[in-house]
C-alpha cells in the first residue's frame, strides 16, 4: 500500500503530465530528496518534458527556416524576372536604336556617294526622316519613363478641346491605318460646345497616341475604332476613352502585366515586333497622374479594347468660352520686312533654321553664342524677333536673354532647348523669354510661332 504522502507525490506527477498533455512545457514534476522510485518517475517525466521543449523549439525553427526559404525563393524569382526583363529590354532597345540608326547612316551614305534621280533622293530622304522620327520616339519614351521613375512629372492643366485632339490624332494615323487596309473610325461622344475639359493636353495626347499606335501595330486586318463617351463615375462625370481593335489580342494571364514597364506579351516578343514595352507603362502613369484609371479587355486572337477615364471638369465654364481662339491664322503667308536673329552654336541646327526661316523672311542675322548675341542686338536694334538657343558656349542663352532684357523689354525672344523638360517653358519665361520651342524644331511650329510674334510687323509691312 502507498502512504498518503507517496500518493500525493504521484498525484502531483500526474497533474504535471496532464499540463504537458495540454501543451504547457514550462512545468516540472516535483522531486523529493528520497531518490526512490517515485523520484525516478518524476525525473523521467522531467526529462521527457525537456525533450518535448527542445523538439518544439526545433519545430518552430524549422518552420521559420521554411518560411524564410519560401520568401527567398520568391525574391530570387523576382530578381531573375527583373534580370530577364532588363536583358530583354537591353536586347530590344539595342535593336530598336540600331535599326533606325542603320537606316539613317546607310541611306545618308548612299545619298553622299551615288548620283541619284530626284525621285530616288526624295525616297531616301524620307526613309532618313522616318528613321529619325522613330529614334526620337524611343528617346522620348526613355526620357518619359525616367522622369516618371524619378517622380518629377507634374500635370500642366489647361482647358483642352478633346474633339480637336481626337480629330488631330485621327488625321495623324489615318494614312498608316489605310496602308494596312484597316477601317479607321473615330467616335466623338460630345457636341463641340461641351467637348472641353480641364486636363493636361500633352499627356492626354501621349496616352491616346500610344494606344492608337499599338492598335494599328498589333492588328493585321479589320477595324480600329477610338473615341470617348461621357459617363457617371461614382457620382462625378467622367470621360471614358476607348481604343478598340480586331488584332492579335492578349492572353488572359498577361492582361495585367502589359502595363508594367519593359513588359511585352510572349507572342510579341517571339515575333520580334517593333517596340520597347514602355508605351503602356507611360500611359498608365499619365492616366493616374490625371486622376483616372486604365485597363484592357482582350481575347487572344480576336482583339483588344483599351479603356481609360479622366474627370470631366468645369463643363459650364468650358462650354461658355470654348469658341475663343487666337487669330494668328489671319497673318499674311509671306513677309520679308522683319529681321530675325538666330543664336545657335551648332552649324547643322543653324543651317536648318536658316532654311526654314528663309521662307518667311530674307532678313536674317546670326550669332554663335550669348555674348555675340548681345553685341549683335546692340548693333541691330531694329531686330523683330530673336530665336535663342539655351545651351551655348561662352555665355548661355538664359544669361543672354537676361542681358538683352536690360536693353530692350519689348523684342520677342523665343528660347529653344533640346532637353524638353517639364517646366522648361516657365523657366525661360521667368528669365525674360517670350515663348519657348522644343527641339527638334518642327517646321509648322516654328512658322506658327514666328508669325505669331511678328504679326504687328507683317501687318504694317
Ligand atoms: P510596345 O508596344 O512598345 O511593346 P507597350 O507598353 O505599348 O510596348 O505595350 C506592351 C505590350 O502590350 C506589347 O508588347 C503587347 O504585347 C501588348 N499590347 C499592347 N497593345 C496591344 C494591342 N492593341 N493588341 C495586342 N497586344 C497589345
Amino acid at each position: 500500500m502507498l502512504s498518503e504522502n507517496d500518493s500525493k507525490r504521484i498525484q502531483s506527477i500526474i497533474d504535471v503530465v496532464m499540463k504537458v498533455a495540454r501543451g504547457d512545457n514550462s512545468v516540472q514534476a516535483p522531486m523529493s530528496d528520497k531518490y526512490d522510485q517515485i523520484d525516478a518517475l518524476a525525473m523521467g517525466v522531467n526529462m521527457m518534458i525537456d525533450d518535448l521543449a527542445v523538439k518544439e523549439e526545433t519545430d518552430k525553427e524549422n518552420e521559420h527556416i521554411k518560411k524564410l526559404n519560401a520568401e527567398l525563393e520568391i525574391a530570387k524569382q523576382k530578381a531573375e524576372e527583373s534580370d530577364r526583363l532588363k536583358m530583354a529590354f537591353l536586347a530590344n532597345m539595342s535593336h530598336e536604336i540600331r535599326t533606325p540608326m542603320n537606316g539613317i547612316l546607310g541611306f545618308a551614305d548612299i545619298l553622299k556617294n551615288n548620283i541619284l534621280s530626284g525621285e530616288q533622293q526624295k525616297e531616301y530622304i524620307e526613309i532618313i526622316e522616318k528613321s529619325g522620327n522613330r529614334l526620337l520616339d524611343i528617346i522620348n519614351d526613355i526620357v518619359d519613363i525616367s522622369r516618371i521613375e524619378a517622380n518629377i512629372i507634374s500635370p500642366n492643366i489647361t482647358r483642352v478641346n478633346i474633339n480637336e485632339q481626337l480629330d488631330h490624332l485621327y488625321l495623324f494615323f489615318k494614312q498608316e491605318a489605310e496602308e494596312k487596309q484597316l477601317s479607321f473610325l473615330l467616335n466623338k461622344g460630345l457636341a463641340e460646345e461641351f467637348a472641353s475639359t480641364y486636363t493636361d493636353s500633352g499627356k492626354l495626347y501621349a496616352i491616346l497616341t500610344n494606344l492608337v499606335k499599338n492598335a494599328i501595330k498589333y492588328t493585321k486586318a479589320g477595324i480600329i475604332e477610338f473615341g470617348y463617351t461621357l459617363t457617371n463615375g461614382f457620382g462625378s462625370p467622367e470621360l471614358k476613352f476607348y481604343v478598340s481593335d480586331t488584332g492579335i489580342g492578349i492572353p488572359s494571364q498577361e492582361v495585367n502585366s502589359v502595363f508594367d514597364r519593359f513588359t511585352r506579351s510572349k507572342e510579341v516578343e517571339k515575333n520580334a515586333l517593333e517596340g520597347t514595352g514602355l508605351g503602356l507603362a507611360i500611359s498608365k502613369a499619365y492616366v493616374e497622374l490625371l486622376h483616372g484609371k486604365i485597363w484592357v479587355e482582350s481575347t487572344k486572337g480576336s482583339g483588344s479594347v483599351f479603356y481609360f477615364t479622366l474627370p470631366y471638369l468645369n463643363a459650364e465654364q468650358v462650354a461658355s468660352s470654348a469658341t475663343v481662339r487666337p487669330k494668328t491664322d489671319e497673318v499674311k503667308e509671306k513677309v520679308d520686312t522683319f529681321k530675325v536673329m538666330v543664336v545657335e552654336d551648332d552649324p547643322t541646327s543653324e543651317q536648318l533654321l536658316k532654311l526654314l526661316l528663309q521662307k518667311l523672311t530674307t532678313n536674317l542675322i546670326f550669332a554663335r553664342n550669348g555674348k555675340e548675341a548681345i553685341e549683335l542686338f546692340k548693333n541691330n536694334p531694329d531686330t523683330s524677333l530673336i530665336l535663342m538657343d539655351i545651351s551655348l558656349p561662352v555665355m548661355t542663352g538664359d544669361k543672354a536673354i537676361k542681358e538683352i532684357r536690360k536693353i530692350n523689354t519689348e523684342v520677342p525672344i523665343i528660347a529653344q532647348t533640346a532637353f524638353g523638360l517639364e517646366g522648361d517653358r516657365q523657366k525661360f519665361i521667368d528669365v525674360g523669354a517670350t515663348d519657348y520651342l522644343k527641339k527638334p524644331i518642327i517646321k509648322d511650329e516654328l512658322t506658327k510661332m514666328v508669325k505669331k510674334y511678328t504679326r504687328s510687323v507683317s501687318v504694317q509691312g
Side-chain angles (χ1 to χ4, degrees), residues 214-215 217-218 245 248-250 258 263-265 268 275-280 304 306:
N214 277 350
K217 181 162 71 173
Y218 296 116
D245 66 57
I248 59 172
I250 305 166
V258 289
T263 306
R264 317 185 73 206
S265 78
V268 163
T276 54
L278 289 176
L280 287 182
S304 316
F306 281 83

Side-chain angles (χ1 to χ4, degrees), residues 92 141 210-211 213-219 243 245 247-250 254 257-269 273-283 296 298 303-306:
N92 196 23
D141 273 3
N210 276 332
L211 298 182
K213 199 161 72 182
N214 277 350
I216 298 176
K217 181 162 71 173
Y218 296 116
T219 304
V243 180
D245 66 57
I248 59 172
I250 305 166
E254 295 184 81
S257 61
V258 289
F259 292 100
D260 295 343
R261 67 205 165 96
F262 307 139
T263 306
R264 317 185 73 206
S265 78
K266 299 253 164 8
E267 183 160 337
V268 163
E269 247 174 49
L273 290 172
E274 202 177 278
T276 54
L278 289 176
L280 287 182
I282 294 169
S283 303
V296 58
S298 183
S304 316
V305 191
F306 281 83

